[in-house]
Amino acid sequence: MSILHIVNKSPFERNSLASCLGHALDGSSVLLFEDGVYGAIKGTSFSDTLGAAMASRSVYVLGPDLAARGIDESKLVDGVKVVDYAGFVDLSAESDKVQSWL
Amino acid sequence: MSETKKFLYLNRKAPYGTIYALESLEVVLIGAAFEQDVSLAFVDDGVFQLTKGQNTKGIGMKDFSPTYRALGDYDVNKLYVEKESLEERGLSLDDLMPLTYEDEDDDYAEKDSIRVVSRAEMAQIMDEQDVILSF
């Protein structure tokens, strides 16, 4: 059973992403979108937490939400993969469940 | 009727994810017509409002970031950005839009509107205000 975890809240304002990472099993996927994309920036007070979680999980970020917020892909934590809306759909279809962390 | 008060608009939310940032900007522009002493503070996720290179074509929302550049024309030229909030988010002044105004008391010299201040300085700035509006 694979779960796609999706997070749309800033990790600096809510604990949604921290809680998500605490519950996402090894091998699961995490997609950051809307204000969740701020969690993928490197060199922040949260990036070590994300980096540690990525050792055993795949982390994706929605490209159009990055662009809207002026975040260049070069600013992301190493290993974070950028997807577009079609990629979001593919990830959803490939997973057994989609779990949203509001 | 000519009493001038110090107004501070406190911005703590990222743009686009919620409506707060845009609503704050609208209220600032409306309030600018009343010729008060207006300052803006950007704290916590509010610092993300000022990042340069915002392009909202892909999400179907209006990019309101260019509007910040108009603030100088409304005599809103004190934009305090908290240093600690920037650093916690991996940002520096170079990641923000250059915002300027023309100082009419100094032969219309172009000056920076953004002032990076420490958390302690921000606390003092808040203490000096007559009114603080939170977004």
Tab-separated table of all heavy atoms in Angstrom, chain B residues 71-133:
chain	number	residue	atom	x	y	z
B	71	LEU	N	4.027	51.735	-3.987
B	71	LEU	CA	3.830	52.304	-2.651
B	71	LEU	C	4.597	53.612	-2.461
B	71	LEU	O	4.112	54.533	-1.806
B	71	LEU	CB	4.261	51.288	-1.578
B	71	LEU	CG	3.359	50.058	-1.446
B	71	LEU	CD1	4.000	49.049	-0.483
B	71	LEU	CD2	1.968	50.441	-0.950
B	72	GLY	N	5.787	53.699	-3.047
B	72	GLY	CA	6.608	54.897	-2.903
B	72	GLY	C	5.889	56.142	-3.419
B	72	GLY	O	6.048	57.232	-2.860
B	73	ASP	N	5.089	55.964	-4.472
B	73	ASP	CA	4.346	57.092	-5.055
B	73	ASP	C	3.232	57.571	-4.131
B	73	ASP	O	2.697	58.667	-4.311
B	73	ASP	CB	3.741	56.692	-6.405
B	73	ASP	CG	4.823	56.361	-7.429
B	73	ASP	OD1	5.943	56.882	-7.275
B	73	ASP	OD2	4.546	55.577	-8.358
B	74	TYR	N	2.861	56.748	-3.160
B	74	TYR	CA	1.814	57.116	-2.193
B	74	TYR	C	2.437	57.527	-0.853
B	74	TYR	O	1.769	57.495	0.176
B	74	TYR	CB	0.856	55.945	-1.982
B	74	TYR	CG	0.002	55.620	-3.183
B	74	TYR	CD1	0.462	54.759	-4.177
B	74	TYR	CD2	-1.275	56.180	-3.332
B	74	TYR	CE1	-0.318	54.462	-5.294
B	74	TYR	CE2	-2.056	55.887	-4.435
B	74	TYR	CZ	-1.568	55.030	-5.412
B	74	TYR	OH	-2.339	54.743	-6.506
B	75	ASP	N	3.700	57.869	-0.870
B	75	ASP	CA	4.426	58.249	0.348
B	75	ASP	C	4.442	57.136	1.390
B	75	ASP	O	4.511	57.398	2.591
B	75	ASP	CB	3.847	59.530	0.963
B	75	ASP	CG	4.174	60.755	0.115
B	75	ASP	OD1	5.220	60.719	-0.573
B	75	ASP	OD2	3.389	61.713	0.128
B	76	VAL	N	4.337	55.903	0.938
B	76	VAL	CA	4.529	54.755	1.832
B	76	VAL	C	5.929	54.230	1.527
B	76	VAL	O	6.140	53.528	0.537
B	76	VAL	CB	3.465	53.658	1.594
B	76	VAL	CG1	3.744	52.452	2.480
B	76	VAL	CG2	2.075	54.217	1.852
B	77	ASN	N	6.894	54.650	2.336
B	77	ASN	CA	8.285	54.332	2.007
B	77	ASN	C	9.075	53.791	3.201
B	77	ASN	O	10.292	53.795	3.199
B	77	ASN	CB	8.981	55.567	1.426
B	77	ASN	CG	8.722	56.794	2.271
B	77	ASN	OD1	8.727	56.692	3.496
B	77	ASN	ND2	8.475	57.932	1.646
B	78	LYS	N	8.344	53.312	4.208
B	78	LYS	CA	9.020	52.648	5.335
B	78	LYS	C	8.543	51.203	5.384
B	78	LYS	O	7.484	50.898	5.937
B	78	LYS	CB	8.707	53.368	6.656
B	78	LYS	CG	9.273	54.790	6.711
B	78	LYS	CD	9.182	55.387	8.106
B	78	LYS	CE	7.766	55.706	8.528
B	78	LYS	NZ	7.254	56.976	8.019
B	79	LEU	N	9.290	50.314	4.747
B	79	LEU	CA	8.950	48.892	4.728
B	79	LEU	C	9.997	48.146	5.560
B	79	LEU	O	11.109	47.910	5.096
B	79	LEU	CB	8.923	48.352	3.284
B	79	LEU	CG	7.621	48.541	2.484
B	79	LEU	CD1	7.292	50.009	2.302
B	79	LEU	CD2	7.712	47.854	1.134
B	80	TYR	N	9.623	47.812	6.796
B	80	TYR	CA	10.560	47.153	7.697
B	80	TYR	C	10.455	45.644	7.527
B	80	TYR	O	9.374	45.060	7.638
B	80	TYR	CB	10.252	47.530	9.146
B	80	TYR	CG	10.392	49.006	9.424
B	80	TYR	CD1	9.270	49.830	9.546
B	80	TYR	CD2	11.658	49.592	9.543
B	80	TYR	CE1	9.391	51.191	9.789
B	80	TYR	CE2	11.797	50.952	9.781
B	80	TYR	CZ	10.660	51.741	9.908
B	80	TYR	OH	10.789	53.089	10.140
B	81	VAL	N	11.603	45.007	7.231
B	81	VAL	CA	11.646	43.554	7.032
B	81	VAL	C	12.520	42.959	8.129
B	81	VAL	O	13.653	43.413	8.346
B	81	VAL	CB	12.227	43.210	5.641
B	81	VAL	CG1	12.302	41.706	5.460
B	81	VAL	CG2	11.378	43.843	4.540
B	82	GLU	N	11.993	41.952	8.802
B	82	GLU	CA	12.715	41.391	9.947
B	82	GLU	C	13.821	40.420	9.509
B	82	GLU	O	13.556	39.444	8.808
B	82	GLU	CB	11.744	40.685	10.893
B	82	GLU	CG	12.400	40.277	12.196
B	82	GLU	CD	11.372	39.669	13.134
B	82	GLU	OE1	10.753	40.415	13.894
B	82	GLU	OE2	11.187	38.433	13.083
B	83	LYS	N	15.032	40.723	9.962
B	83	LYS	CA	16.215	39.946	9.572
B	83	LYS	C	16.101	38.474	9.962
B	83	LYS	O	16.383	37.582	9.164
B	83	LYS	CB	17.436	40.579	10.250
B	83	LYS	CG	18.780	40.011	9.846
B	83	LYS	CD	19.880	40.944	10.346
B	83	LYS	CE	21.255	40.439	9.973
B	83	LYS	NZ	21.719	39.367	10.860
B	84	GLU	N	15.675	38.219	11.193
B	84	GLU	CA	15.578	36.825	11.661
B	84	GLU	C	14.579	36.030	10.822
B	84	GLU	O	14.799	34.852	10.540
B	84	GLU	CB	15.168	36.779	13.138
B	84	GLU	CG	16.270	37.207	14.094
B	84	GLU	CD	16.319	38.712	14.319
B	84	GLU	OE1	15.740	39.464	13.506
B	84	GLU	OE2	16.952	39.143	15.304
B	85	SER	N	13.473	36.680	10.432
B	85	SER	CA	12.468	35.990	9.617
B	85	SER	C	13.044	35.618	8.256
B	85	SER	O	12.770	34.534	7.731
B	85	SER	CB	11.228	36.871	9.438
B	85	SER	OG	10.600	37.105	10.677
B	86	LEU	N	13.833	36.516	7.679
B	86	LEU	CA	14.502	36.224	6.401
B	86	LEU	C	15.426	35.021	6.564
B	86	LEU	O	15.370	34.068	5.784
B	86	LEU	CB	15.325	37.429	5.936
B	86	LEU	CG	14.587	38.633	5.355
B	86	LEU	CD1	15.585	39.775	5.113
B	86	LEU	CD2	13.885	38.278	4.054
B	87	GLU	N	16.279	35.078	7.589
B	87	GLU	CA	17.297	34.038	7.761
B	87	GLU	C	16.686	32.663	8.007
B	87	GLU	O	17.165	31.656	7.483
B	87	GLU	CB	18.231	34.422	8.917
B	87	GLU	CG	19.138	35.598	8.553
B	87	GLU	CD	19.932	36.132	9.732
B	87	GLU	OE1	19.624	35.743	10.885
B	87	GLU	OE2	20.844	36.947	9.496
B	88	GLU	N	15.611	32.626	8.804
B	88	GLU	CA	14.962	31.335	9.078
B	88	GLU	C	14.430	30.701	7.792
B	88	GLU	O	14.235	29.488	7.721
B	88	GLU	CB	13.786	31.546	10.052
B	88	GLU	CG	14.217	31.792	11.494
B	88	GLU	CD	13.140	32.486	12.324
B	88	GLU	OE1	11.982	32.589	11.850
B	88	GLU	OE2	13.452	32.929	13.435
B	89	ARG	N	14.182	31.532	6.784
B	89	ARG	CA	13.605	31.062	5.518
B	89	ARG	C	14.631	30.989	4.392
B	89	ARG	O	14.261	30.884	3.219
B	89	ARG	CB	12.414	31.969	5.144
B	89	ARG	CG	11.239	31.724	6.076
B	89	ARG	CD	10.256	32.871	6.135
B	89	ARG	NE	9.209	32.543	7.101
B	89	ARG	CZ	9.356	32.647	8.430
B	89	ARG	NH1	10.480	33.102	8.953
B	89	ARG	NH2	8.362	32.302	9.233
B	90	GLY	N	15.918	31.079	4.737
B	90	GLY	CA	16.976	30.969	3.735
B	90	GLY	C	17.028	32.148	2.787
B	90	GLY	O	17.519	32.012	1.664
B	91	LEU	N	16.512	33.301	3.214
B	91	LEU	CA	16.456	34.477	2.340
B	91	LEU	C	17.414	35.562	2.826
B	91	LEU	O	17.781	35.614	4.000
B	91	LEU	CB	15.035	35.062	2.325
B	91	LEU	CG	13.902	34.175	1.808
B	91	LEU	CD1	12.560	34.874	2.014
B	91	LEU	CD2	14.096	33.851	0.336
B	92	SER	N	17.795	36.447	1.882
B	92	SER	CA	18.548	37.645	2.236
B	92	SER	C	17.952	38.802	1.454
B	92	SER	O	17.050	38.600	0.614
B	92	SER	CB	20.027	37.473	1.884
B	92	SER	OG	20.174	37.434	0.481
B	93	LEU	N	18.454	40.011	1.709
B	93	LEU	CA	17.934	41.192	1.016
B	93	LEU	C	17.994	41.022	-0.500
B	93	LEU	O	17.124	41.517	-1.228
B	93	LEU	CB	18.733	42.431	1.459
B	93	LEU	CG	18.297	43.797	0.926
B	93	LEU	CD1	16.844	44.099	1.307
B	93	LEU	CD2	19.217	44.888	1.451
B	94	ASP	N	19.009	40.317	-0.998
B	94	ASP	CA	19.169	40.111	-2.439
B	94	ASP	C	18.015	39.326	-3.060
B	94	ASP	O	17.809	39.371	-4.275
B	94	ASP	CB	20.478	39.344	-2.735
B	94	ASP	CG	21.700	40.219	-2.523
B	94	ASP	OD1	21.544	41.446	-2.492
B	94	ASP	OD2	22.801	39.660	-2.396
B	95	ASP	N	17.285	38.576	-2.241
B	95	ASP	CA	16.163	37.784	-2.761
B	95	ASP	C	14.880	38.607	-2.868
B	95	ASP	O	13.870	38.130	-3.380
B	95	ASP	CB	15.898	36.580	-1.850
B	95	ASP	CG	17.066	35.602	-1.853
B	95	ASP	OD1	17.433	35.144	-2.948
B	95	ASP	OD2	17.607	35.322	-0.769
B	96	LEU	N	14.909	39.847	-2.364
B	96	LEU	CA	13.703	40.685	-2.361
B	96	LEU	C	13.693	41.660	-3.537
B	96	LEU	O	14.740	42.020	-4.072
B	96	LEU	CB	13.606	41.458	-1.044
B	96	LEU	CG	13.698	40.627	0.240
B	96	LEU	CD1	13.500	41.526	1.455
B	96	LEU	CD2	12.681	39.500	0.240
B	97	MET	N	12.498	42.096	-3.908
B	97	MET	CA	12.354	43.085	-4.978
B	97	MET	C	13.016	44.389	-4.533
B	97	MET	O	12.844	44.804	-3.382
B	97	MET	CB	10.872	43.400	-5.223
B	97	MET	CG	10.049	42.252	-5.743
B	97	MET	SD	8.327	42.754	-5.992
B	97	MET	CE	7.686	42.636	-4.318
B	98	PRO	N	13.749	45.061	-5.421
B	98	PRO	CA	14.256	46.384	-5.061
B	98	PRO	C	13.099	47.380	-5.059
B	98	PRO	O	12.409	47.523	-6.070
B	98	PRO	CB	15.271	46.694	-6.167
B	98	PRO	CG	15.002	45.753	-7.272
B	98	PRO	CD	14.139	44.640	-6.769
B	99	LEU	N	12.832	48.004	-3.923
B	99	LEU	CA	11.724	48.961	-3.821
B	99	LEU	C	12.301	50.312	-3.409
B	99	LEU	O	13.037	50.405	-2.427
B	99	LEU	CB	10.704	48.478	-2.784
B	99	LEU	CG	10.041	47.133	-3.090
B	99	LEU	CD1	9.148	46.703	-1.931
B	99	LEU	CD2	9.222	47.208	-4.373
B	100	THR	N	11.944	51.338	-4.167
B	100	THR	CA	12.517	52.657	-3.910
B	100	THR	C	11.429	53.732	-3.884
B	100	THR	O	10.290	53.483	-4.276
B	100	THR	CB	13.544	53.035	-4.998
B	100	THR	OG1	12.881	53.034	-6.263
B	100	THR	CG2	14.702	52.054	-5.029
B	101	TYR	N	11.823	54.913	-3.407
B	101	TYR	CA	10.946	56.086	-3.457
B	101	TYR	C	11.807	57.313	-3.721
B	101	TYR	O	13.033	57.264	-3.571
B	101	TYR	CB	10.173	56.250	-2.140
B	101	TYR	CG	11.021	56.660	-0.965
B	101	TYR	CD1	11.024	57.969	-0.494
B	101	TYR	CD2	11.834	55.735	-0.312
B	101	TYR	CE1	11.808	58.350	0.594
B	101	TYR	CE2	12.621	56.108	0.768
B	101	TYR	CZ	12.603	57.406	1.218
B	101	TYR	OH	13.381	57.778	2.279
B	102	GLU	N	11.159	58.392	-4.135
B	102	GLU	CA	11.884	59.641	-4.362
B	102	GLU	C	11.675	60.544	-3.161
B	102	GLU	O	10.541	60.884	-2.828
B	102	GLU	CB	11.393	60.310	-5.654
B	102	GLU	CG	11.759	59.506	-6.898
B	102	GLU	CD	11.234	60.132	-8.178
B	102	GLU	OE1	10.365	61.029	-8.083
B	102	GLU	OE2	11.687	59.715	-9.256
B	103	ASP	N	12.768	60.927	-2.510
B	103	ASP	CA	12.695	61.747	-1.298
B	103	ASP	C	12.545	63.219	-1.672
B	103	ASP	O	13.505	63.861	-2.123
B	103	ASP	CB	13.966	61.529	-0.466
B	103	ASP	CG	13.862	62.210	0.900
B	103	ASP	OD1	12.910	62.984	1.105
B	103	ASP	OD2	14.740	61.952	1.746
B	104	GLU	N	11.336	63.769	-1.464
B	104	GLU	CA	11.085	65.154	-1.881
B	104	GLU	C	11.848	66.163	-1.019
B	104	GLU	O	12.016	67.311	-1.424
B	104	GLU	CB	9.581	65.452	-1.852
B	104	GLU	CG	8.941	65.269	-0.480
B	104	GLU	CD	7.429	65.437	-0.540
B	104	GLU	OE1	6.847	65.247	-1.610
B	104	GLU	OE2	6.854	65.767	0.517
B	105	ASP	N	12.312	65.706	0.165
B	105	ASP	CA	13.097	66.596	1.024
B	105	ASP	C	14.587	66.550	0.689
B	105	ASP	O	15.398	67.216	1.321
B	105	ASP	CB	12.898	66.207	2.498
B	105	ASP	CG	11.442	66.375	2.913
B	105	ASP	OD1	10.800	67.321	2.412
B	105	ASP	OD2	10.959	65.550	3.712
B	106	ASP	N	14.956	65.746	-0.274
B	106	ASP	CA	16.372	65.587	-0.620
B	106	ASP	C	16.528	65.608	-2.147
B	106	ASP	O	17.104	64.696	-2.750
B	106	ASP	CB	16.898	64.271	-0.024
B	106	ASP	CG	18.419	64.146	-0.180
B	106	ASP	OD1	19.064	65.136	-0.568
B	106	ASP	OD2	18.939	63.035	0.066
B	107	ASP	N	15.934	66.648	-2.772
B	107	ASP	CA	16.031	66.847	-4.221
B	107	ASP	C	15.575	65.612	-5.012
B	107	ASP	O	16.125	65.276	-6.049
B	107	ASP	CB	17.482	67.201	-4.603
B	107	ASP	CG	17.556	67.835	-5.989
B	107	ASP	OD1	16.524	68.382	-6.449
B	107	ASP	OD2	18.632	67.755	-6.612
B	108	TYR	N	14.543	64.942	-4.472
B	108	TYR	CA	13.941	63.776	-5.124
B	108	TYR	C	14.959	62.668	-5.418
B	108	TYR	O	14.898	61.986	-6.445
B	108	TYR	CB	13.197	64.186	-6.406
B	108	TYR	CG	12.011	65.071	-6.089
B	108	TYR	CD1	12.142	66.455	-6.067
B	108	TYR	CD2	10.775	64.514	-5.760
B	108	TYR	CE1	11.067	67.273	-5.740
B	108	TYR	CE2	9.695	65.316	-5.434
B	108	TYR	CZ	9.841	66.701	-5.422
B	108	TYR	OH	8.771	67.486	-5.085
B	109	ALA	N	15.897	62.517	-4.509
B	109	ALA	CA	16.871	61.429	-4.638
B	109	ALA	C	16.151	60.093	-4.462
B	109	ALA	O	15.237	59.975	-3.645
B	109	ALA	CB	17.960	61.582	-3.584
B	110	GLU	N	16.561	59.100	-5.252
B	110	GLU	CA	15.941	57.779	-5.157
B	110	GLU	C	16.551	57.026	-3.983
B	110	GLU	O	17.773	56.880	-3.911
B	110	GLU	CB	16.165	57.008	-6.459
B	110	GLU	CG	15.282	55.777	-6.571
B	110	GLU	CD	15.344	55.150	-7.964
B	110	GLU	OE1	16.369	54.500	-8.254
B	110	GLU	OE2	14.393	55.320	-8.727
B	111	LYS	N	15.685	56.559	-3.093
B	111	LYS	CA	16.167	55.860	-1.901
B	111	LYS	C	15.434	54.537	-1.728
B	111	LYS	O	14.322	54.364	-2.211
B	111	LYS	CB	15.963	56.737	-0.663
B	111	LYS	CG	16.752	58.037	-0.733
B	111	LYS	CD	16.648	58.831	0.544
B	111	LYS	CE	17.519	60.086	0.458
B	111	LYS	NZ	17.419	60.914	1.653
B	112	ASP	N	16.080	53.632	-0.985
B	112	ASP	CA	15.477	52.318	-0.744
B	112	ASP	C	14.341	52.416	0.273
B	112	ASP	O	14.488	53.072	1.311
B	112	ASP	CB	16.535	51.345	-0.219
B	112	ASP	CG	17.526	50.963	-1.302
B	112	ASP	OD1	17.101	50.848	-2.468
B	112	ASP	OD2	18.716	50.772	-0.987
B	113	SER	N	13.233	51.760	-0.035
B	113	SER	CA	12.107	51.719	0.907
B	113	SER	C	12.262	50.594	1.925
B	113	SER	O	11.757	50.676	3.039
B	113	SER	CB	10.795	51.520	0.150
B	113	SER	OG	10.525	52.608	-0.700
B	114	ILE	N	12.934	49.509	1.505
B	114	ILE	CA	13.070	48.348	2.390
B	114	ILE	C	14.184	48.586	3.405
B	114	ILE	O	15.289	48.971	3.046
B	114	ILE	CB	13.362	47.064	1.582
B	114	ILE	CG1	12.127	46.690	0.752
B	114	ILE	CG2	13.769	45.922	2.512
B	114	ILE	CD1	12.300	45.428	-0.072
B	115	ARG	N	13.849	48.393	4.662
B	115	ARG	CA	14.848	48.509	5.731
B	115	ARG	C	14.838	47.204	6.520
B	115	ARG	O	13.825	46.857	7.131
B	115	ARG	CB	14.472	49.671	6.657
B	115	ARG	CG	14.318	50.979	5.870
B	115	ARG	CD	13.481	51.969	6.632
B	115	ARG	NE	13.030	53.038	5.724
B	115	ARG	CZ	12.814	54.289	6.092
B	115	ARG	NH1	12.958	54.650	7.342
B	115	ARG	NH2	12.413	55.184	5.217
B	116	VAL	N	15.942	46.487	6.467
B	116	VAL	CA	16.052	45.229	7.216
B	116	VAL	C	16.398	45.569	8.667
B	116	VAL	O	17.367	46.279	8.926
B	116	VAL	CB	17.117	44.309	6.593
B	116	VAL	CG1	17.281	43.048	7.429
B	116	VAL	CG2	16.729	43.948	5.155
B	117	VAL	N	15.566	45.082	9.588
B	117	VAL	CA	15.767	45.383	11.010
B	117	VAL	C	15.764	44.086	11.815
B	117	VAL	O	15.210	43.072	11.380
B	117	VAL	CB	14.671	46.329	11.552
B	117	VAL	CG1	14.703	47.659	10.821
B	117	VAL	CG2	13.289	45.694	11.446
B	118	SER	N	16.370	44.131	12.987
B	118	SER	CA	16.387	42.949	13.852
B	118	SER	C	15.028	42.796	14.547
B	118	SER	O	14.218	43.723	14.553
B	118	SER	CB	17.482	43.097	14.908
B	118	SER	OG	17.121	44.114	15.811
B	119	ARG	N	14.841	41.638	15.137
B	119	ARG	CA	13.590	41.379	15.871
B	119	ARG	C	13.430	42.380	17.012
B	119	ARG	O	12.326	42.884	17.259
B	119	ARG	CB	13.607	39.937	16.381
B	119	ARG	CG	12.310	39.457	17.003
B	119	ARG	CD	12.258	37.938	17.028
B	119	ARG	NE	11.978	37.390	15.709
B	119	ARG	CZ	12.266	36.129	15.340
B	119	ARG	NH1	12.848	35.307	16.187
B	119	ARG	NH2	11.962	35.703	14.129
B	120	ALA	N	14.541	42.691	17.678
B	120	ALA	CA	14.495	43.649	18.797
B	120	ALA	C	14.101	45.035	18.285
B	120	ALA	O	13.297	45.738	18.918
B	120	ALA	CB	15.844	43.693	19.490
B	121	GLU	N	14.662	45.417	17.134
B	121	GLU	CA	14.311	46.719	16.545
B	121	GLU	C	12.843	46.734	16.123
B	121	GLU	O	12.148	47.742	16.274
B	121	GLU	CB	15.211	47.007	15.337
B	121	GLU	CG	16.650	47.336	15.724
B	121	GLU	CD	17.597	47.385	14.524
B	121	GLU	OE1	17.464	46.543	13.609
B	121	GLU	OE2	18.464	48.260	14.523
B	122	MET	N	12.373	45.615	15.587
B	122	MET	CA	10.974	45.532	15.167
B	122	MET	C	10.044	45.720	16.368
B	122	MET	O	9.001	46.379	16.273
B	122	MET	CB	10.716	44.189	14.484
B	122	MET	CG	9.346	44.079	13.831
B	122	MET	SD	9.144	45.225	12.440
B	122	MET	CE	9.816	44.242	11.090
B	123	ALA	N	10.426	45.148	17.490
B	123	ALA	CA	9.612	45.288	18.705
B	123	ALA	C	9.513	46.762	19.104
B	123	ALA	O	8.441	47.237	19.518
B	123	ALA	CB	10.229	44.471	19.836
B	124	GLN	N	10.624	47.488	18.964
B	124	GLN	CA	10.620	48.921	19.273
B	124	GLN	C	9.740	49.694	18.306
B	124	GLN	O	8.986	50.589	18.699
B	124	GLN	CB	12.057	49.478	19.221
B	124	GLN	CG	12.934	49.061	20.387
B	124	GLN	CD	12.366	49.488	21.729
B	124	GLN	OE1	11.846	50.586	21.867
B	124	GLN	NE2	12.425	48.602	22.703
B	125	ILE	N	9.837	49.344	17.003
B	125	ILE	CA	9.028	50.010	15.976
B	125	ILE	C	7.544	49.828	16.292
B	125	ILE	O	6.750	50.764	16.199
B	125	ILE	CB	9.381	49.451	14.576
B	125	ILE	CG1	10.781	49.923	14.180
B	125	ILE	CG2	8.348	49.877	13.537
B	125	ILE	CD1	11.406	49.147	13.036
B	126	MET	N	7.177	48.606	16.691
B	126	MET	CA	5.775	48.352	17.047
B	126	MET	C	5.364	49.204	18.248
B	126	MET	O	4.262	49.754	18.288
B	126	MET	CB	5.580	46.870	17.371
B	126	MET	CG	5.721	45.959	16.169
B	126	MET	SD	5.612	44.228	16.677
B	126	MET	CE	5.899	43.416	15.107
B	127	ASP	N	6.273	49.322	19.207
B	127	ASP	CA	5.976	50.066	20.437
B	127	ASP	C	5.736	51.549	20.171
B	127	ASP	O	4.996	52.203	20.911
B	127	ASP	CB	7.144	49.876	21.416
B	127	ASP	CG	6.805	50.363	22.810
B	127	ASP	OD1	5.779	49.905	23.356
B	127	ASP	OD2	7.534	51.214	23.331
B	128	GLU	N	6.353	52.073	19.090
B	128	GLU	CA	6.258	53.503	18.785
B	128	GLU	C	4.963	53.889	18.069
B	128	GLU	O	4.698	55.070	17.860
B	128	GLU	CB	7.435	53.915	17.878
B	128	GLU	CG	8.790	53.843	18.565
B	128	GLU	CD	9.939	53.822	17.548
B	128	GLU	OE1	9.673	53.964	16.335
B	128	GLU	OE2	11.082	53.629	17.984
B	129	GLN	N	4.168	52.897	17.649
B	129	GLN	CA	2.988	53.176	16.825
B	129	GLN	C	1.781	53.623	17.644
B	129	GLN	O	1.647	53.275	18.816
B	129	GLN	CB	2.611	51.923	16.022
B	129	GLN	CG	3.735	51.360	15.176
B	129	GLN	CD	4.248	52.332	14.130
B	129	GLN	OE1	3.465	53.021	13.483
B	129	GLN	NE2	5.558	52.381	13.957
B	130	ASP	N	0.882	54.364	16.974
B	130	ASP	CA	-0.419	54.666	17.568
B	130	ASP	C	-1.412	53.552	17.258
B	130	ASP	O	-2.263	53.223	18.077
B	130	ASP	CB	-0.954	55.994	17.018
B	130	ASP	CG	-0.092	57.170	17.442
B	130	ASP	OD1	0.122	57.325	18.657
B	130	ASP	OD2	0.364	57.922	16.566
B	131	VAL	N	-1.314	53.007	16.051
B	131	VAL	CA	-2.254	51.976	15.604
B	131	VAL	C	-1.478	50.882	14.869
B	131	VAL	O	-0.603	51.182	14.055
B	131	VAL	CB	-3.300	52.566	14.615
B	131	VAL	CG1	-4.280	51.486	14.179
B	131	VAL	CG2	-4.035	53.740	15.226
B	132	ILE	N	-1.786	49.605	15.170
B	132	ILE	CA	-1.203	48.489	14.418
B	132	ILE	C	-2.334	47.663	13.821
B	132	ILE	O	-3.245	47.235	14.535
B	132	ILE	CB	-0.309	47.596	15.307
B	132	ILE	CG1	0.826	48.426	15.904
B	132	ILE	CG2	0.249	46.427	14.495
B	132	ILE	CD1	1.752	47.644	16.827
B	133	LEU	N	-2.282	47.473	12.504
B	133	LEU	CA	-3.289	46.664	11.814
B	133	LEU	C	-2.628	45.361	11.379
B	133	LEU	O	-1.593	45.380	10.708
B	133	LEU	CB	-3.832	47.430	10.599
B	133	LEU	CG	-4.585	48.720	10.979
B	133	LEU	CD1	-4.555	49.729	9.854
B	133	LEU	CD2	-6.007	48.397	11.373
